[in-house]
Amino acid sequence: MEPITLRTERLILRPLQEEDTDAVAAACDDPGIQRWVPLPEPYERKHAEEFVGRTSPAGWSEDTLYNFGVFTHEGALVGSMGLTQIAHLRTAERQAELGFWTARDQRRKGYTAEAGREVARWAFADLGVERLEWVAQVGNEGSLGVARSIGFVLEGVQRARIVHRGTRRDAWIAALLPSDWGRAQETPYLPGPATD
């Protein structure tokens, strides 16, 4: 897929560029991000160079990861957000997973949820996603708050889902469906019976 740029009222979501490397390195060298996101520790400039210069562009060109750098209109890095697990886009499941991290000084401003709503809108409208998942380690309350603000519905806990720093960890899983936003989808949906 050709990389694209998305815009919201306060943000620009665009592919990361070489000049973003230092900002990415500084943001990811934060214990608050490393606690939850599988990044090298310590996070060095060479890791940012790899992510910005190779991993993100390859994701677009190879259809494995559609990653955006999230920036204010003034150009400050807010974080990174992308669709992962996109191999399922080309199957009957038509699903992807939304992943993100937010720079420490940009938290609690609503930026990440704003960006997430725009990526979800694009995923539903332009990519035909019919189930968008969010997964995070149990205890990552900040990420859970963002997911809920976007509209994700928490579905439960998956035991030992995530391997982080050599240890299996339980994960929350949530989903956002087009119907949650009043949008139609190609594949009919038959919900199971309500349970108590």
Side-chain angles (χ1 to χ4, degrees):
M1 171 173 274
E2 285 297 315
I4 66 162
T5 297
L6 303 173
R7 289 178 172 79
T8 70
E9 181 180 334
R10 301 183 296 165
L11 303 170
I12 297 171
L13 288 73
R14 61 165 175 79
L16 291 164
Q17 300 168 356
E18 185 178 343
E19 59 267 23
D20 304 320
T21 302
D22 288 335
V24 169
C28 290
D29 193 32
D30 169 19
I33 291 177
Q34 293 173 4
R35 164 66 180 91
W36 306 109
V37 180
L39 297 174
E41 186 180 14
Y43 195 89
E44 300 173 358
R45 190 174 198 285
K46 66 181 180 183
H47 300 119
E49 289 171 352
E50 176 71 25
F51 182 66
V52 171
R54 288 179 275 295
T55 303
S56 289
W60 286 97
S61 66
E62 298 169 9
D63 289 318
T64 56
L65 166 70
Y66 299 153
N67 190 71
F68 298 93
V70 180
F71 299 87
T72 65
H73 286 201
E74 296 74 33
L77 176 68
V78 170
S80 178
M81 177 171 292
L83 295 179
T84 66
Q85 307 299 321
I86 57 177
H88 296 290
L89 279 177
R90 293 172 290 284
T91 67
E93 284 77 21
R94 302 212 45 82
Q95 65 186 36
E97 183 179 319
L98 182 71
F100 51 83
W101 54 257
T102 308
R104 182 182 334 179
D105 61 343
Q106 301 294 348
R107 296 176 193 151
R108 303 191 187 283
K109 298 179 181 180
Y111 287 149
T112 306
E114 183 177 327
R117 284 188 288 275
E118 180 59 16
V119 172
R121 182 211 57 77
W122 172 67
F124 292 151
D126 296 356
L127 301 180
V129 169
E130 294 186 348
R131 177 180 166 87
L132 188 58
E133 292 184 339
W134 163 89
V135 177
Q137 283 185 52
V138 170
N140 189 344
E141 297 289 343
S143 189
L144 177 62
V146 168
R148 284 185 163 152
S149 180
I150 293 169
F152 281 85
V153 175
L154 188 63
E155 295 177 332
V157 173
Q158 294 182 325
R159 296 180 309 144
R161 163 76 185 258
I162 295 172
V163 177
H164 186 68
R165 309 262 185 258
T167 302
R168 287 202 167 271
R169 314 218 180 181
D170 292 348
W172 285 319
I173 185 165
L176 181 65
L177 308 178
S179 58
D180 294 334
W181 284 3
R183 301 179 73 104
Q185 62 188 49
E186 185 177 325
T187 309
Y189 170 40
L190 178 62
T195 58
D196 294 333

